[in-house]
């Protein structure tokens, strides 16, 4: 059914901290590794070693330069499905392949029903859906449904692969429908924002804007390094004479 | 947006087909035109052939065409599904109308009723097609108030110019049909110009700032997540160079509006030119259909999807 549920029991989603993301792409490769064997498998690669590399990825990390009056900064920006509350990607689907789960709000594609009309990818403003030209169906982030409820892996691993992989803890996972959850608290504390709120998709995932700049780095320069080893020869002699 | 040829052909062919069907249903069903057997057979056959060919070509761009039947199921929420249902449903009154009007050579009574129903179903189907595009918020050029009337106007315009050509060719040139083709051509030209003007002055409400949540100042893409073009860029990142777009707009206007209007006006003004009126009517229809293919190509090529913002395009 492509009609949207009036409400969902949980609103599982991600919170991404743009202050700490260093753009290392660990979440990207970890996502690909898990999901090419997961619920939406395979994440086909076309011509992977050739000049026209193409393929399906659920998570893409961009880099931007944000320039304000306070100065410029580089912001690494991971982009994936936001598991929106009112996503047109679901309602436009003619086959019922796209759906939003009532239990946890995750947006999924049933690959056995998808006819590959691509309309859902047109309806997603965020570019979260990628078409698999090899299989002929649409693919997208599953929020790792096959990890987060998986009794066969250790409880601490029952988070999306991207969250588990992030070395700077820039990615957080939890129930954004529960105002008391750690992740909701984080959003409240850091002033998390919706992407393209003007389009009315009401994304579940939130982004934490970079913290305000501090001038610490510029005002506390590290002392210049001294050579550890005493140099020999002519340069050593000059050094000794001048240091004396 | 990437202009897929199957979709360009589909929207142009079905638009003309449904337009023609509507004119035949009303004018034929109610006996406003007589028309012999051959006129009836060829014109209704052409309308249904254009519709069928368009619908078939639209399945050509599917990843899994063998599952196309599933697309009839989600009419509660999806305009694409509604289009599927409406397009197939239209064949029912159109088929009955064909039996009555063409095979039995009747008009009025139940033939008029099925003709009218065919015209209504055709209009509804064109509306559902338009709404597929008009409801896509990420594409500002499509989700505008110009899209739905545009599809209806162009269906009426191409339908009437075909109707006029078929009458001239297989029956005899008729002033009301010619007049209608001229008026709808002028309306179409005006609507398209207004649409282009509106699109050119669009102020983007969605910016890279709102797309990344980075408030204030400027945001500039300095690195893509990948080196080669991916699905998003191939499908949604298509950009036609502005100078080409301007040239193509001129070509589209010349073929779809200026030339047909000139030819039809000539045929209309000189009623005693005999065979020349037939030639002009047919040429007007061919020119307009070619022009509409260019117009539809631009409809896609000039549409900008919000995902392109992420790539700094
Ligand atoms: S981010 Fe895109 S694909 Fe994901 S739920 Fe929202 S609209 Fe749908
Ligand atoms: S591509 Fe598949 S999932 Fe997307 S709208 Fe079409 S049928 Fe639905």
């Amino acid at each position: 059914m492509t009609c949207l549920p009036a409400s969902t029991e949980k609103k599982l989603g991600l919170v991404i901290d743009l202050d700490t993301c260093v753009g290392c792409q660990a979440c990207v490769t970890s996502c690909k590794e898990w999901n090419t064997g997961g619920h939406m498998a395979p994440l086909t690669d076309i011509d992977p070693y050739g000049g026209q590399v193409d393929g399906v990825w659920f998570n893409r990390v961009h880099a931007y330069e944000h320039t304000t009056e306070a100065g410029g900064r580089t912001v690494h920006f991971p982009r994936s499905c936001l598991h929106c509350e009112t996503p047109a990607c679901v309602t436009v689907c003619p086959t019922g392949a796209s759906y939003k789960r009532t239990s946890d709000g995750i947006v999924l594609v049933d690959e056995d029903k998808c006819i590959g009309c691509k309309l859902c990818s047109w309806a997603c403003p965020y570019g979260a859906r990628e078409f698999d030209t090899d299989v002929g169906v649409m693919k997208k982030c599953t929020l790792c449904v096959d990890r987060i409820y998986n009794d066969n892996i250790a409880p601490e691993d029952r988070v999306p692969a991207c969250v588990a992989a992030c070395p700077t803890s820039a990615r957080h996972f939890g129930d954004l429908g529960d105002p008391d959850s750690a992740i909701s608290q984080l959003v409240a504390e850091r002033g998390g924002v919706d992407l393209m709120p003007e389009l009315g998709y009401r994304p579940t995932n939130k982004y934490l804007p970079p913290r305000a700049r501090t001038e610490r780095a510029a005002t506390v320069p590290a002392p210049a390094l001294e050579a550890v080893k005493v140099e020999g020869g002519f340069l050593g002699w000059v050094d000794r004479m001048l240091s004396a | 947006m990437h202009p897929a040829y199957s979709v360009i052909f589909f929207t142009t062919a079905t638009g003309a087909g449904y337009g023609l069907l509507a004119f035949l249903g009303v004018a034929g069903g109610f006996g406003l035109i007589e028309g012999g057997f051959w006129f009836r057979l060829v014109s209704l056959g052409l309308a249904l052939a254009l519709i069928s060919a368009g619908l078939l070509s639209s399945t050509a761009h599917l990843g899994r065409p063998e599952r196309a039947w599933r697309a009839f199921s989600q009419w509660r929420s999806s305009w694409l599904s509604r289009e599927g249902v409406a397009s197939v449903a239209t064949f029912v009154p159109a088929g009955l109308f064909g039996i009555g009007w063409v095979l039995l050579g009747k008009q009025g009574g139940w033939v008029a009723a099925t003709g009218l129903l065919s015209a209504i179903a055709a209009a509804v189907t064109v509306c559902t097609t338009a709404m597929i595009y008009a409801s896509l918020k990420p594409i500002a050029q499509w989700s505008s108030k110009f899209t739905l009337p545009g599809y209806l106007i162009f269906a009426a315009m191409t339908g009437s110019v075909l109707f006029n050509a078929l009458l001239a060719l297989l029956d005899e040139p008729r002033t009301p049909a010619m007049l209608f083709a001229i008026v709808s051509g002028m309306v179409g030209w005006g609507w398209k110009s207004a649409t282009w003007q509106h699109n050119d002055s669009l102020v983007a409400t969605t910016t890279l700032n709102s797309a990344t949540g980075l408030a204030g100042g400027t945001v500039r893409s300095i690195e893509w997540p990948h080196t080669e073009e991916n699905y998003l860029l191939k499908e949604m990142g298509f950009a036609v160079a502005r100078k080409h777009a301007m040239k193509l707009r001129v070509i589209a206007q010349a073929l779809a509006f200026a030339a047909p209007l000139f030819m039809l006006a000539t045929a209309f003004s000189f009623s005693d030119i005999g065979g020349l009126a037939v030639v002009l009517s047919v040429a007007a229809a061919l020119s307009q259909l070619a022009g509409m293919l260019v117009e539809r190509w631009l409809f896609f090529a000039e549409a900008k999807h919000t995902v392109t913002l992420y790539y700094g395009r």
Side-chain angles (χ1 to χ4, degrees):
Chain A
M1 263 300 279
T2 53
C3 291
L4 296 171
S7 68
T8 56
E9 284 156 41
K10 284 183 174 180
K11 295 177 187 172
L12 294 187
L14 300 173
V15 166
I16 294 170
D17 191 343
L18 296 181
D19 195 66
T20 44
C21 174
V22 291
C24 70
Q25 314 276 334
C27 55
V28 177
T29 45
S30 175
C31 165
K32 178 93 170 184
E33 189 222 6
W34 177 267
N35 283 296
T36 201
H39 181 81
M40 291 241 81
L43 302 200
T44 313
D45 280 322
I46 309 288
D47 193 19
Y49 304 106
Q52 299 291 311
V53 189
D54 195 355
V56 181
W57 299 72
F58 294 164
N59 184 19
R60 307 264 191 186
V61 179
H62 295 253
Y64 298 105
E65 183 183 68
H66 186 207
T67 312
T68 58
E69 277 161 19
R73 78 201 306 171
T74 301
V75 179
H76 299 285
F77 181 90
R79 178 174 58 79
S80 60
C81 174
L82 309 170
H83 297 281
C84 305
E85 284 181 51
T86 48
C89 65
V90 171
T91 51
V92 300
C93 175
T95 61
S98 281
Y99 60 104
K100 183 170 174 71
R101 306 213 301 188
T102 317
S103 57
D104 50 17
I106 296 178
V107 174
L108 291 174
V109 178
D110 180 344
E111 282 186 83
D112 295 329
K113 285 193 187 144
C114 176
I115 56 172
C117 69
K118 303 178 186 158
L119 189 57
C120 54
S121 67
W122 295 6
C124 171
Y126 309 101
R129 291 175 169 243
E130 299 199 8
F131 184 67
D132 187 330
T133 47
D134 195 47
V135 186
V137 299
M138 194 55 72
K139 304 219 165 155
K140 70 175 290 299
C141 159
T142 67
L143 207 62
C144 287
V145 272
D146 39 13
R147 280 178 73 98
I148 58 177
Y149 299 113
N150 193 335
D151 292 336
N152 297 315
I153 58 177
E156 62 271 26
D157 286 334
R158 291 176 203 162
V159 293
C162 58
V163 174
C166 181
T168 64
S169 294
R171 306 180 71 97
H172 307 265
F173 164 70
D175 182 6
L176 286 143
D178 171 8
D180 296 326
S181 68
I183 193 172
S184 298
Q185 299 284 328
L186 181 65
V187 172
E189 183 190 317
R190 291 279 305 283
V193 296
D194 284 353
L195 303 184
M196 302 188 202
E198 65 278 7
L199 294 184
Y201 283 55
R202 296 168 61 214
T204 300
N205 288 11
K206 304 283 182 262
Y207 282 73
L208 307 180
R211 291 182 171 89
R213 293 163 59 94
T214 63
E215 296 305 327
R216 256 181 327 194
T219 52
V220 191
L225 292 179
E226 295 285 332
V228 177
K229 190 176 63 150
V230 178
E231 294 234 23
F234 174 69
L235 284 178
W237 177 78
V238 172
D239 186 34
R240 261 177 282 128
M241 293 314 285
L242 292 177
S243 328
Chain B
M1 299 295 293
H2 172 71
Y5 292 114
S6 60
V7 181
I8 291 171
F9 176 75
F10 160 68
T11 55
T12 313
T14 53
Y18 284 121
L20 180 57
L21 175 63
F23 284 110
L24 294 175
V26 173
F30 287 93
L32 304 180
I33 42 157
E34 269 296 319
F37 172 75
W38 286 109
F39 166 73
R40 295 183 178 200
L41 181 73
V42 173
S43 58
L44 190 63
L46 180 67
L48 297 180
L50 280 170
I51 295 168
S52 312
L55 292 175
L56 282 180
S57 94
S58 76
T59 60
H61 85 290
L62 297 180
R64 305 297 290 258
E66 77 279 9
R67 298 178 185 163
W69 58 272
R70 288 190 181 275
F72 298 116
S73 66
Q74 303 302 311
W75 48 269
R76 279 188 208 81
S77 78
S78 161
W79 284 107
L80 178 53
S81 187
R82 288 172 196 160
E83 181 198 47
V85 173
S87 62
V88 171
T90 306
F91 281 106
V92 177
L96 291 174
F97 172 69
I99 293 173
W101 190 58
V102 181
L103 298 183
L104 306 178
K106 289 188 175 174
Q107 54 230 2
W110 67 271
V111 177
T114 51
L116 184 63
L117 275 178
S118 305
I120 293 170
V124 168
T125 310
V126 172
C127 286
T128 58
T129 305
M131 284 310 293
I132 294 172
Y133 301 99
S135 64
L136 289 172
K137 283 191 206 158
I139 302 156
Q141 288 83 359
W142 292 356
S143 69
S144 90
K145 55 184 186 297
F146 286 90
T147 304
L148 175 61
Y151 269 78
L152 282 170
I153 291 171
F154 293 138
M157 180 184 83
T158 48
S160 68
V161 82
L162 270 181
F163 181 56
N164 173 62
L166 286 162
L167 273 175
L169 197 62
L170 300 167
D171 191 51
E172 58 184 273
R174 307 236 182 201
T175 320
M178 212 170 266
L179 202 58
F180 200 96
I182 292 172
V183 172
S184 66
M186 293 196 304
V187 173
W189 198 351
W191 194 260
K192 194 71 235 185
S193 309
T195 311
W196 279 331
Q197 208 162 37
H198 171 260
N199 288 352
D200 291 344
S201 59
L202 268 180
V203 184
T205 45
T206 299
T207 61
L208 191 45
N209 287 94
S210 75
T212 55
L214 297 170
T218 56
V219 183
R220 187 170 68 91
S221 168
I222 52 175
E223 203 172 39
W224 283 3
H226 39 91
T227 52
E228 308 304 316
E229 298 242 315
N230 65 346
Y231 165 71
L232 299 173
L233 288 169
K234 287 174 189 162
E235 182 79 5
M236 261 89 67
F238 188 92
V240 55
R242 195 156 170 82
K243 67 170 197 281
H244 294 316
M246 288 304 148
K247 251 185 236 160
L248 285 166
R249 281 187 187 184
V250 172
I251 294 174
Q253 291 183 79
L255 287 175
F257 308 119
L261 282 175
F262 176 75
M263 290 189 257
L264 291 174
T266 310
F268 182 74
S269 326
F270 306 100
S271 46
D272 53 351
I273 49 176
L276 194 57
V278 179
V279 175
L280 287 172
S281 292
V282 173
L286 294 177
S287 167
Q288 184 164 84
L289 287 178
M292 288 313 287
L293 287 174
V294 181
E295 182 277 329
R296 218 36 69 86
W297 190 89
L298 280 170
F299 178 75
F300 282 88
E302 290 194 298
K304 186 170 155 33
H305 193 284
T306 49
V307 74
T308 57
L309 290 170
Y310 286 111
Y311 288 88
R313 282 196 176 173

